[in-house]
Amino acid sequence: MSLTSKAIDRIAPSATVGVNTRAAELKAEGMNVISLAAGEPDFPVPDFAQEAAIQAIRDGKSKYTAPDGTPELKDAVRAKFKRDNGIDYDRSEITINVGGKHTIFNAMMATLDVGDEVIVPAPYWVSYPDIVQFCGATPVIVECPADAGFKMTPQQLEAAITPKTKWLVFNSPSNPTGAAYTKAEVAGLVEVLRRHPHVWILADDIYEHIVYDDFEFVSLVQQAPDLKDRTLTVNGASKAYSMTGWRIGFAGGPKPLIDAIRKLQSQSTTNPCAIAQAAACAALQGPQDFLADRARAFQERRDLVLSMLGQVDGLKTVKPEGAFYVYPDCSGLIGKRTPDGKTLDTDEDVATYLLESEGVAVVHGAAFGLSPAFRISYAVSSEVLEDACERIQRACAALT
Ligand code: GLU
């Protein structure tokens, strides 16, 4: 009898977490590694969030909380959705979870049955299809190539919907490409969704504050309030407030779904960390003006990485509208030989070569469902980024 379940055997370890962990191990072993693997901002956690965590510890706020979050944090999240997205949620329509990934995992676990389908535009964040598969459902991958700006068209969405479709996963700005849908583009998808009332929408807005060149982010329910009763609007503290390790994700959605998530969470984590909840509450309630400053810093980094990768023969990079990722097409490197005489057959070979030859960790495109490419997370300082891009230039120039 097999030790592992069929469910666990259906999924792979997360490639983003895996490459990042490997890069940290190599660094600890003394290798000069620059990790562009993790989607993790290098900025500090805002002081006021740090202070709130320390105060919560001092005040003894270290007991169990309600399974799906404290009333204080739920109210802070409600105020955030109102302030940033113009969406009104009741407290009973809010759930707090152990990171955005956990929010998505819970939502899928609470709703999917074998045979259900979930539409996932590719390139996708690594965990979407695996979470769906873990639940025994089927990811329906819609390929959105670079020449379409990595965006799904209304026609593609229409063609992907079947009577079995349970969810559309909609992530804008996107991980791993940084592509963000304009209001007009969202409107086009909304038209299709209106025709298919059985389809739920998981709007993953985690990168909403990181947009460039006056791009105007719009949350799906903000654009289409009539879809509110079948949309889960997902967000979290990780990317905006650099609170990746604190693990606070949250969502607003219809009460029956929120209730189901609470039931599941009461049987798994019991509650998200009480101290992290207090910190996230302060992060959401404090001054928010630094978010625009950080977005400007990310934009400078984006421009730096685009200009330096633009000098590399064999790479083609689309200019992203948001997030902190670029997704260069590396088809021009496939078939080339490394100084060690190895042929680069896949984008995983390219990523391995960059790591072994120059100590730059990136995540191969196969993990995100569109190859050959790789993902660079430019959430590092400009100095580190410049060094990393010089290394990539050198590694690519050494290929024959
Ligand atoms: N979301 C980030 C990334 O894509 C963090 C790691 C993960 O959870 O995938 O790198």
Side-chain angles (χ1 to χ4, degrees), residues 244-302:
T244 46
W246 301 61
R247 310 309 301 133
I248 295 293
F250 50 78
K255 188 171 178 303
L257 174 58
I258 299 299
D259 288 348
I261 290 174
R262 182 173 55 243
K263 179 157 70 161
L264 176 61
Q265 202 152 277
S266 78
Q267 294 287 19
S268 55
T269 63
T270 301
N271 60 262
C273 166
I275 308 302
Q277 288 190 66
C281 194
L284 288 167
Q285 289 174 328
Q288 305 289 307
D289 42 332
F290 68 94
L291 294 173
D293 298 340
R294 289 183 178 185
R296 269 190 293 278
F298 279 128
Q299 181 166 335
E300 278 170 28
R301 297 171 186 184
R302 177 201 64 171

Short mmCIF file of all heavy atoms in Angstrom, two decimals, residues 244-302:
data_model
loop_
_atom_site.label_atom_id
_atom_site.label_comp_id
_atom_site.label_asym_id
_atom_site.label_seq_id
_atom_site.Cartn_x
_atom_site.Cartn_y
_atom_site.Cartn_z
N THR A 244 5.85 38.87 3.74
CA THR A 244 5.76 37.51 3.18
C THR A 244 5.78 36.43 4.26
O THR A 244 4.96 35.53 4.26
CB THR A 244 6.90 37.28 2.17
OG1 THR A 244 8.11 37.76 2.76
CG2 THR A 244 6.66 38.03 0.89
N GLY A 245 6.74 36.54 5.17
CA GLY A 245 6.89 35.50 6.18
C GLY A 245 5.83 35.54 7.28
O GLY A 245 5.71 34.60 8.06
N TRP A 246 5.07 36.61 7.34
CA TRP A 246 4.06 36.74 8.40
C TRP A 246 2.81 35.94 8.07
O TRP A 246 2.03 35.63 8.93
CB TRP A 246 3.68 38.22 8.62
CG TRP A 246 4.81 39.10 9.00
CD1 TRP A 246 5.93 39.36 8.26
CD2 TRP A 246 4.95 39.84 10.22
NE1 TRP A 246 6.76 40.22 8.94
CE2 TRP A 246 6.17 40.53 10.15
CE3 TRP A 246 4.14 39.99 11.34
CZ2 TRP A 246 6.61 41.36 11.17
CZ3 TRP A 246 4.58 40.82 12.36
CH2 TRP A 246 5.80 41.49 12.27
N ARG A 247 2.65 35.65 6.78
CA ARG A 247 1.58 34.79 6.28
C ARG A 247 0.18 35.29 6.65
O ARG A 247 -0.54 34.64 7.42
CB ARG A 247 1.75 33.32 6.77
CG ARG A 247 3.10 32.68 6.57
CD ARG A 247 3.65 32.80 5.16
NE ARG A 247 2.80 32.20 4.14
CZ ARG A 247 2.50 32.83 3.00
NH1 ARG A 247 2.94 34.05 2.75
NH2 ARG A 247 1.77 32.23 2.10
N ILE A 248 -0.20 36.40 6.10
CA ILE A 248 -1.59 36.85 6.23
C ILE A 248 -2.17 37.12 4.83
O ILE A 248 -1.71 38.00 4.11
CB ILE A 248 -1.71 38.12 7.11
CG1 ILE A 248 -1.31 37.83 8.56
CG2 ILE A 248 -3.15 38.66 7.05
CD1 ILE A 248 -2.24 36.89 9.34
N GLY A 249 -3.14 36.30 4.48
CA GLY A 249 -3.92 36.52 3.26
C GLY A 249 -5.35 36.78 3.67
O GLY A 249 -5.75 36.47 4.79
N PHE A 250 -6.11 37.38 2.77
CA PHE A 250 -7.52 37.61 3.10
C PHE A 250 -8.35 37.68 1.83
O PHE A 250 -7.80 37.79 0.73
CB PHE A 250 -7.69 38.88 3.95
CG PHE A 250 -7.02 40.12 3.42
CD1 PHE A 250 -7.59 40.86 2.39
CD2 PHE A 250 -5.82 40.56 3.97
CE1 PHE A 250 -6.97 42.01 1.92
CE2 PHE A 250 -5.20 41.70 3.49
CZ PHE A 250 -5.76 42.44 2.47
N ALA A 251 -9.65 37.61 2.02
CA ALA A 251 -10.53 37.68 0.86
C ALA A 251 -11.90 38.18 1.28
O ALA A 251 -12.31 38.04 2.44
CB ALA A 251 -10.67 36.31 0.20
N GLY A 252 -12.60 38.74 0.30
CA GLY A 252 -14.00 39.10 0.47
C GLY A 252 -14.80 38.29 -0.52
O GLY A 252 -14.38 38.10 -1.67
N GLY A 253 -15.94 37.78 -0.08
CA GLY A 253 -16.76 36.99 -1.00
C GLY A 253 -18.10 36.65 -0.38
O GLY A 253 -18.38 37.00 0.78
N PRO A 254 -18.93 35.94 -1.14
CA PRO A 254 -20.27 35.60 -0.66
C PRO A 254 -20.21 34.76 0.63
O PRO A 254 -19.35 33.89 0.78
CB PRO A 254 -20.86 34.78 -1.81
CG PRO A 254 -20.08 35.21 -3.01
CD PRO A 254 -18.71 35.52 -2.52
N LYS A 255 -21.15 35.02 1.53
CA LYS A 255 -21.13 34.40 2.86
C LYS A 255 -21.08 32.87 2.82
O LYS A 255 -20.32 32.27 3.61
CB LYS A 255 -22.35 34.91 3.66
CG LYS A 255 -22.34 34.50 5.11
CD LYS A 255 -23.44 35.22 5.88
CE LYS A 255 -23.47 34.79 7.34
NZ LYS A 255 -23.64 33.35 7.52
N PRO A 256 -21.84 32.20 1.96
CA PRO A 256 -21.76 30.73 1.99
C PRO A 256 -20.34 30.21 1.72
O PRO A 256 -19.92 29.22 2.32
CB PRO A 256 -22.72 30.30 0.86
CG PRO A 256 -23.63 31.46 0.66
CD PRO A 256 -22.85 32.69 0.99
N LEU A 257 -19.62 30.89 0.86
CA LEU A 257 -18.24 30.49 0.57
C LEU A 257 -17.34 30.81 1.78
O LEU A 257 -16.51 29.99 2.19
CB LEU A 257 -17.74 31.20 -0.70
CG LEU A 257 -16.28 30.99 -1.06
CD1 LEU A 257 -15.96 29.52 -1.26
CD2 LEU A 257 -15.92 31.77 -2.33
N ILE A 258 -17.53 31.98 2.33
CA ILE A 258 -16.73 32.39 3.50
C ILE A 258 -16.99 31.44 4.67
O ILE A 258 -16.07 31.04 5.39
CB ILE A 258 -17.06 33.87 3.87
CG1 ILE A 258 -16.71 34.80 2.70
CG2 ILE A 258 -16.39 34.30 5.17
CD1 ILE A 258 -15.27 34.84 2.28
N ASP A 259 -18.25 31.04 4.85
CA ASP A 259 -18.60 30.08 5.92
C ASP A 259 -17.90 28.74 5.69
O ASP A 259 -17.41 28.12 6.63
CB ASP A 259 -20.12 29.85 5.96
CG ASP A 259 -20.87 31.05 6.52
OD1 ASP A 259 -20.22 31.96 7.08
OD2 ASP A 259 -22.11 31.08 6.38
N ALA A 260 -17.88 28.31 4.43
CA ALA A 260 -17.24 27.01 4.12
C ALA A 260 -15.74 27.08 4.40
O ALA A 260 -15.15 26.13 4.93
CB ALA A 260 -17.51 26.65 2.66
N ILE A 261 -15.13 28.21 4.08
CA ILE A 261 -13.69 28.38 4.34
C ILE A 261 -13.44 28.37 5.85
O ILE A 261 -12.48 27.77 6.34
CB ILE A 261 -13.18 29.68 3.67
CG1 ILE A 261 -13.17 29.51 2.15
CG2 ILE A 261 -11.78 30.05 4.19
CD1 ILE A 261 -12.81 30.76 1.37
N ARG A 262 -14.34 29.01 6.60
CA ARG A 262 -14.16 29.03 8.06
C ARG A 262 -14.23 27.61 8.64
O ARG A 262 -13.42 27.23 9.48
CB ARG A 262 -15.21 29.92 8.73
CG ARG A 262 -14.99 29.97 10.25
CD ARG A 262 -15.88 30.95 10.97
NE ARG A 262 -17.28 30.71 10.70
CZ ARG A 262 -18.09 31.57 10.09
NH1 ARG A 262 -17.65 32.75 9.69
NH2 ARG A 262 -19.35 31.27 9.86
N LYS A 263 -15.19 26.83 8.11
CA LYS A 263 -15.33 25.45 8.59
C LYS A 263 -14.03 24.68 8.32
O LYS A 263 -13.51 24.01 9.20
CB LYS A 263 -16.52 24.79 7.88
CG LYS A 263 -16.74 23.35 8.26
CD LYS A 263 -18.17 22.88 8.02
CE LYS A 263 -18.57 22.73 6.59
NZ LYS A 263 -19.74 21.89 6.35
N LEU A 264 -13.52 24.81 7.11
CA LEU A 264 -12.28 24.11 6.75
C LEU A 264 -11.13 24.57 7.63
O LEU A 264 -10.35 23.76 8.15
CB LEU A 264 -11.97 24.38 5.27
CG LEU A 264 -10.68 23.80 4.71
CD1 LEU A 264 -10.67 22.27 4.80
CD2 LEU A 264 -10.50 24.22 3.25
N GLN A 265 -11.02 25.86 7.80
CA GLN A 265 -9.90 26.42 8.57
C GLN A 265 -9.97 25.98 10.04
O GLN A 265 -8.95 25.74 10.68
CB GLN A 265 -9.87 27.93 8.44
CG GLN A 265 -8.51 28.54 8.73
CD GLN A 265 -8.30 29.84 7.98
OE1 GLN A 265 -7.94 29.85 6.81
NE2 GLN A 265 -8.52 30.95 8.64
N SER A 266 -11.19 25.83 10.54
CA SER A 266 -11.35 25.40 11.95
C SER A 266 -10.84 23.98 12.12
O SER A 266 -10.52 23.56 13.24
CB SER A 266 -12.81 25.50 12.38
OG SER A 266 -13.56 24.40 11.86
N GLN A 267 -10.75 23.23 11.02
CA GLN A 267 -10.24 21.86 11.09
C GLN A 267 -8.80 21.76 10.60
O GLN A 267 -8.28 20.66 10.45
CB GLN A 267 -11.12 20.92 10.25
CG GLN A 267 -12.52 20.75 10.77
CD GLN A 267 -12.59 19.90 12.03
OE1 GLN A 267 -11.59 19.71 12.73
NE2 GLN A 267 -13.77 19.38 12.35
N SER A 268 -8.17 22.90 10.30
CA SER A 268 -6.78 22.81 9.82
C SER A 268 -5.87 23.70 10.65
O SER A 268 -5.26 23.25 11.61
CB SER A 268 -6.69 23.11 8.32
OG SER A 268 -7.26 24.36 8.01
N THR A 269 -5.79 24.99 10.36
CA THR A 269 -4.84 25.84 11.09
C THR A 269 -5.43 26.37 12.40
O THR A 269 -4.73 27.00 13.18
CB THR A 269 -4.45 27.07 10.26
OG1 THR A 269 -5.61 27.87 10.04
CG2 THR A 269 -3.85 26.68 8.93
N THR A 270 -6.70 26.16 12.64
CA THR A 270 -7.48 26.78 13.74
C THR A 270 -7.65 28.26 13.49
O THR A 270 -8.76 28.76 13.43
CB THR A 270 -6.84 26.54 15.12
OG1 THR A 270 -6.77 25.14 15.33
CG2 THR A 270 -7.65 27.17 16.24
N ASN A 271 -6.53 28.99 13.38
CA ASN A 271 -6.64 30.42 13.03
C ASN A 271 -5.29 30.87 12.47
O ASN A 271 -4.29 30.18 12.68
CB ASN A 271 -7.03 31.28 14.25
CG ASN A 271 -6.06 31.21 15.39
OD1 ASN A 271 -6.26 30.46 16.35
ND2 ASN A 271 -4.99 31.99 15.33
N PRO A 272 -5.26 32.00 11.77
CA PRO A 272 -3.96 32.55 11.39
C PRO A 272 -3.27 33.09 12.65
O PRO A 272 -3.96 33.44 13.62
CB PRO A 272 -4.31 33.69 10.43
CG PRO A 272 -5.76 33.53 10.11
CD PRO A 272 -6.37 32.81 11.26
N CYS A 273 -1.95 33.19 12.62
CA CYS A 273 -1.17 33.64 13.79
C CYS A 273 -1.75 34.96 14.34
O CYS A 273 -1.93 35.94 13.61
CB CYS A 273 0.27 33.85 13.35
SG CYS A 273 1.25 34.76 14.54
N ALA A 274 -2.05 34.97 15.63
CA ALA A 274 -2.69 36.13 16.27
C ALA A 274 -1.81 37.38 16.16
O ALA A 274 -2.31 38.49 15.90
CB ALA A 274 -2.98 35.81 17.73
N ILE A 275 -0.50 37.22 16.35
CA ILE A 275 0.42 38.36 16.32
C ILE A 275 0.49 38.94 14.90
O ILE A 275 0.46 40.16 14.70
CB ILE A 275 1.84 37.92 16.77
CG1 ILE A 275 1.79 37.17 18.11
CG2 ILE A 275 2.80 39.11 16.81
CD1 ILE A 275 1.19 37.93 19.25
N ALA A 276 0.57 38.04 13.92
CA ALA A 276 0.62 38.50 12.53
C ALA A 276 -0.67 39.21 12.15
O ALA A 276 -0.67 40.18 11.38
CB ALA A 276 0.88 37.32 11.60
N GLN A 277 -1.79 38.76 12.69
CA GLN A 277 -3.06 39.44 12.42
C GLN A 277 -3.04 40.87 12.96
O GLN A 277 -3.50 41.80 12.30
CB GLN A 277 -4.23 38.68 13.05
CG GLN A 277 -4.57 37.38 12.36
CD GLN A 277 -5.88 36.81 12.89
OE1 GLN A 277 -6.95 37.40 12.70
NE2 GLN A 277 -5.81 35.67 13.55
N ALA A 278 -2.49 41.04 14.17
CA ALA A 278 -2.42 42.39 14.75
C ALA A 278 -1.54 43.29 13.88
O ALA A 278 -1.85 44.47 13.64
CB ALA A 278 -1.88 42.31 16.17
N ALA A 279 -0.44 42.72 13.37
CA ALA A 279 0.47 43.50 12.53
C ALA A 279 -0.20 43.87 11.20
O ALA A 279 -0.09 45.00 10.72
CB ALA A 279 1.75 42.71 12.27
N ALA A 280 -0.92 42.91 10.62
CA ALA A 280 -1.58 43.17 9.33
C ALA A 280 -2.66 44.25 9.51
O ALA A 280 -2.87 45.09 8.62
CB ALA A 280 -2.19 41.88 8.78
N CYS A 281 -3.32 44.21 10.64
CA CYS A 281 -4.36 45.20 10.94
C CYS A 281 -3.75 46.60 10.92
O CYS A 281 -4.26 47.53 10.27
CB CYS A 281 -4.93 44.87 12.31
SG CYS A 281 -6.44 45.68 12.69
N ALA A 282 -2.59 46.74 11.60
CA ALA A 282 -1.92 48.04 11.62
C ALA A 282 -1.43 48.42 10.23
O ALA A 282 -1.52 49.60 9.83
CB ALA A 282 -0.74 47.99 12.59
N ALA A 283 -0.93 47.44 9.48
CA ALA A 283 -0.43 47.74 8.13
C ALA A 283 -1.55 48.31 7.26
O ALA A 283 -1.36 49.29 6.54
CB ALA A 283 0.14 46.46 7.49
N LEU A 284 -2.73 47.72 7.37
CA LEU A 284 -3.86 48.16 6.55
C LEU A 284 -4.41 49.52 6.99
O LEU A 284 -4.94 50.28 6.18
CB LEU A 284 -4.99 47.12 6.60
CG LEU A 284 -4.72 45.82 5.85
CD1 LEU A 284 -5.75 44.77 6.25
CD2 LEU A 284 -4.76 46.04 4.34
N GLN A 285 -4.28 49.79 8.29
CA GLN A 285 -4.88 51.02 8.83
C GLN A 285 -3.93 52.21 8.83
O GLN A 285 -4.35 53.35 8.98
CB GLN A 285 -5.38 50.78 10.26
CG GLN A 285 -6.61 49.88 10.30
CD GLN A 285 -7.01 49.50 11.71
OE1 GLN A 285 -6.15 49.37 12.59
NE2 GLN A 285 -8.30 49.30 11.94
N GLY A 286 -2.63 51.95 8.70
CA GLY A 286 -1.64 53.02 8.77
C GLY A 286 -1.61 53.84 7.50
O GLY A 286 -2.38 53.60 6.57
N PRO A 287 -0.67 54.83 7.43
CA PRO A 287 -0.54 55.62 6.20
C PRO A 287 -0.14 54.71 5.04
O PRO A 287 0.61 53.77 5.22
CB PRO A 287 0.60 56.60 6.54
CG PRO A 287 1.24 56.11 7.79
CD PRO A 287 0.26 55.22 8.49
N GLN A 288 -0.70 55.00 3.87
CA GLN A 288 -0.48 54.11 2.72
C GLN A 288 0.37 54.78 1.63
O GLN A 288 0.60 54.20 0.57
CB GLN A 288 -1.84 53.70 2.11
CG GLN A 288 -2.81 53.06 3.09
CD GLN A 288 -2.40 51.67 3.52
OE1 GLN A 288 -2.15 50.81 2.70
NE2 GLN A 288 -2.30 51.45 4.84
N ASP A 289 0.85 56.01 1.92
CA ASP A 289 1.54 56.73 0.84
C ASP A 289 2.84 56.06 0.39
O ASP A 289 3.26 56.22 -0.76
CB ASP A 289 1.79 58.20 1.24
CG ASP A 289 2.25 58.33 2.68
OD1 ASP A 289 1.89 57.47 3.50
OD2 ASP A 289 2.99 59.28 2.97
N PHE A 290 3.47 55.27 1.25
CA PHE A 290 4.72 54.62 0.86
C PHE A 290 4.50 53.59 -0.25
O PHE A 290 5.44 53.22 -0.94
CB PHE A 290 5.38 53.96 2.09
CG PHE A 290 4.61 52.79 2.63
CD1 PHE A 290 4.90 51.49 2.22
CD2 PHE A 290 3.57 52.97 3.52
CE1 PHE A 290 4.19 50.42 2.70
CE2 PHE A 290 2.84 51.90 4.00
CZ PHE A 290 3.15 50.62 3.59
N LEU A 291 3.25 53.15 -0.44
CA LEU A 291 2.99 52.15 -1.48
C LEU A 291 3.33 52.72 -2.86
O LEU A 291 3.92 52.05 -3.70
CB LEU A 291 1.53 51.70 -1.44
CG LEU A 291 1.11 50.93 -0.20
CD1 LEU A 291 -0.40 50.68 -0.20
CD2 LEU A 291 1.85 49.60 -0.10
N ALA A 292 2.97 54.00 -3.07
CA ALA A 292 3.27 54.63 -4.37
C ALA A 292 4.77 54.81 -4.53
O ALA A 292 5.32 54.63 -5.63
CB ALA A 292 2.54 55.96 -4.47
N ASP A 293 5.47 55.15 -3.43
CA ASP A 293 6.93 55.30 -3.51
C ASP A 293 7.57 53.97 -3.90
O ASP A 293 8.48 53.91 -4.72
CB ASP A 293 7.51 55.73 -2.15
CG ASP A 293 6.96 57.08 -1.71
OD1 ASP A 293 6.49 57.83 -2.59
OD2 ASP A 293 7.00 57.38 -0.50
N ARG A 294 7.07 52.91 -3.30
CA ARG A 294 7.64 51.59 -3.60
C ARG A 294 7.35 51.19 -5.05
O ARG A 294 8.20 50.60 -5.72
CB ARG A 294 7.10 50.54 -2.62
CG ARG A 294 7.68 50.76 -1.23
CD ARG A 294 7.26 49.71 -0.23
NE ARG A 294 7.91 49.98 1.06
CZ ARG A 294 7.84 49.21 2.12
NH1 ARG A 294 7.12 48.11 2.09
NH2 ARG A 294 8.48 49.52 3.23
N ALA A 295 6.15 51.51 -5.52
CA ALA A 295 5.82 51.19 -6.91
C ALA A 295 6.77 51.94 -7.85
O ALA A 295 7.22 51.39 -8.87
CB ALA A 295 4.37 51.54 -7.22
N ARG A 296 7.10 53.19 -7.49
CA ARG A 296 8.04 53.96 -8.33
C ARG A 296 9.42 53.30 -8.32
O ARG A 296 10.08 53.19 -9.36
CB ARG A 296 8.15 55.40 -7.83
CG ARG A 296 7.15 56.33 -8.51
CD ARG A 296 7.44 57.80 -8.18
NE ARG A 296 7.20 58.09 -6.78
CZ ARG A 296 6.00 58.36 -6.26
NH1 ARG A 296 4.93 58.37 -7.04
NH2 ARG A 296 5.86 58.62 -4.97
N ALA A 297 9.85 52.82 -7.16
CA ALA A 297 11.14 52.13 -7.07
C ALA A 297 11.12 50.86 -7.92
O ALA A 297 12.08 50.56 -8.65
CB ALA A 297 11.47 51.80 -5.62
N PHE A 298 10.00 50.14 -7.88
CA PHE A 298 9.89 48.93 -8.69
C PHE A 298 9.92 49.28 -10.18
O PHE A 298 10.50 48.56 -10.99
CB PHE A 298 8.60 48.17 -8.37
CG PHE A 298 8.69 47.30 -7.14
CD1 PHE A 298 7.76 47.40 -6.12
CD2 PHE A 298 9.71 46.35 -7.00
CE1 PHE A 298 7.83 46.58 -4.99
CE2 PHE A 298 9.79 45.54 -5.87
CZ PHE A 298 8.85 45.65 -4.87
N GLN A 299 9.30 50.41 -10.52
CA GLN A 299 9.30 50.80 -11.93
C GLN A 299 10.72 51.07 -12.44
O GLN A 299 11.08 50.67 -13.55
CB GLN A 299 8.42 52.03 -12.15
CG GLN A 299 8.36 52.43 -13.61
CD GLN A 299 7.24 53.41 -13.94
OE1 GLN A 299 6.23 53.48 -13.23
NE2 GLN A 299 7.41 54.16 -15.00
N GLU A 300 11.53 51.74 -11.59
CA GLU A 300 12.94 51.97 -11.99
C GLU A 300 13.66 50.66 -12.20
O GLU A 300 14.44 50.49 -13.12
CB GLU A 300 13.65 52.78 -10.91
CG GLU A 300 13.38 54.26 -11.03
CD GLU A 300 13.87 55.05 -9.82
OE1 GLU A 300 14.84 54.61 -9.16
OE2 GLU A 300 13.27 56.11 -9.54
N ARG A 301 13.38 49.71 -11.33
CA ARG A 301 14.02 48.40 -11.47
C ARG A 301 13.53 47.69 -12.72
O ARG A 301 14.31 47.03 -13.41
CB ARG A 301 13.72 47.55 -10.24
CG ARG A 301 14.30 48.13 -8.96
CD ARG A 301 13.79 47.36 -7.78
NE ARG A 301 14.19 47.95 -6.52
CZ ARG A 301 13.93 47.43 -5.34
NH1 ARG A 301 13.28 46.28 -5.28
NH2 ARG A 301 14.33 48.00 -4.24
N ARG A 302 12.24 47.79 -12.98
CA ARG A 302 11.72 47.17 -14.20
C ARG A 302 12.44 47.73 -15.41
O ARG A 302 12.88 46.99 -16.30
CB ARG A 302 10.21 47.45 -14.34
CG ARG A 302 9.63 46.91 -15.63
CD ARG A 302 8.34 47.57 -16.04
NE ARG A 302 8.50 49.00 -16.35
CZ ARG A 302 7.56 49.76 -16.88
NH1 ARG A 302 6.38 49.23 -17.17
NH2 ARG A 302 7.76 51.05 -17.12
#
